[in-house]
Amino acid sequence: MDVKKTSRLSLVEQVTGQINELIKSGQWAVGYRLPPEPLLSEELGVSRNTLREAIRALVHSGLIVTKPGDGTYVISSSVLGVAIKRRLEESTLLETLEVRNALERETAALAALRRTKSEMQRIQSYLTVCEKAAKANDLESYVEADMALHKSIAEAAHNPLFLELYEHVTEYVHMSIGNMIALYEQLPHRKLVQAIHEKNSILAASAVDEYIEEFRKIIKSTMEE
Amino acid sequence: MDVKKTSRLSLVEQVTGQINELIKSGQWAVGYRLPPEPLLSEELGVSRNTLREAIRALVHSGLIVTKPGDGTYVISSSVLGVAIKRRLEESTLLETLEVRNALERETAALAALRRTKSEMQRIQSYLTVCEKAAKANDLESYVEADMALHKSIAEAAHNPLFLELYEHVTEYVHMSIGNMIALYEQLPHRKLVQAIHEKNSILAASAVDEYIEEFRKIIKSTMEE
DNA sequence: CACGATTTGTACGTATGTATG
DNA sequence: ACATACATACGTACAAATCGT
């Protein structure tokens, strides 16, 4: 019967896996407050002690936090994301940027080859928003549109693994540099979008190199201050 | 005094960190059998329960396994490595290869810019071994030399973060394709090493693209069989 | 084949700190 | 300021699994 299966995967591991799936699938999004332990343990059909153990495991892996007297909350949706973030914390910003560069260049090149028509439209529209925000000197909405633009490009590469890695690294970069980012030159962005529109992967890659170089200069000059 | 510090990092987390460090630093290498829990808990100055919880956390993150009635063994040296491996398991081989391609191209380009003289010598010597093995049709030592060659190139990029990501991804690729790899054309390898020797990063990148394309063809033809 | 030594797994009990209301 | 509830840490005892003799 199930005896061997049960012995192969302990009850705690099963519960951990279930909760992990709920978080990864987005049903329990970041910020979500988990049901109280007694209720949740009943729903999952396990004792409260077993559930508590599973929760501790997930806390250790960095997906959730427990606040005594309050509740437990989802703080991250991906174990890989947490692992990358922790590794990035012991690297310099320039090292991280080099990795991001490699990921971004490749996603851009692949997007140029694979983007669909509707994806192209999304990319174009984000570029427009981006340029408008830059013109209006609205830093906040610029950053937002900029991230959306790059994400839509990464999505057009049609490689979910790539997308995930790119997002995790990018998220960390944005976190660590905060808002010290400037409204830099928009020409490379246009160039990139144009290259993707023309399905020219080589041009797309070189456009990425161009604005990464711009970006690097800004970082370096900001660091010297 | 220490009161605030103690509240900031729980005992379990401290112990987890200590063991993690021992493993990461190589003092407890893969395959090592940990001291029995009673002994280890005494050495670390914590109760067995506390130690056990730390061990559970490390088990969950995939660094160690516990075998009832036997002992606890180290099975991996890097949490990031485990996280990447687990994520890669739910990706297709072609998706993974695209990521590896991006990482490898960039490390090659950076190596061309940054390699020292002694690093260049190492790279050259591995290439020689590689070519000899190919000539002798010795698949096993070819694979070994090939991996050493690429690793030495990645090391010459002088970016430890890049090196680590590259190694984890590559390791998984080699694991999943096993020995279905063939002794493919050596010309791109020579080209790559030559480009690094000349400190020509553009040529190095295109050389990588070239043999990755070769590799892709082999994979595809093998998959069709 | 079986026994005993070793080692991890589980359970319960207690004391102390700590956050919430 | 107090009380309740929860988290943390420790100790102890016993159960279950494994390995070698």
Side-chain angles (χ1 to χ4, degrees), chain A residues 165-183:
Chain A
L165 288 173
Y166 173 76
E167 279 199 279
H168 290 319
V169 174
T170 304
E171 183 189 21
Y172 180 77
V173 170
H174 275 95
M175 268 177 50
S176 60
I177 64 178
N179 272 9
M180 83 184 205
I181 194 172
L183 295 166

Side-chain angles (χ1 to χ4, degrees), chain A residues 12-53:
Chain A
V12 176
E13 282 170 2
Q14 290 179 38
V15 174
T16 310
Q18 282 183 50
I19 299 178
N20 202 344
E21 276 302 316
L22 283 166
I23 294 175
K24 197 174 72 177
S25 69
Q27 291 180 54
W28 289 2
V30 172
Y32 175 77
R33 175 177 153 165
L34 273 66
E37 290 179 5
L39 183 70
L40 188 54
S41 66
E42 196 190 349
E43 280 178 3
L44 295 173
V46 296
S47 80
R48 187 156 173 263
N49 264 358
T50 307
L51 173 63
R52 281 185 59 75
E53 237 178 79

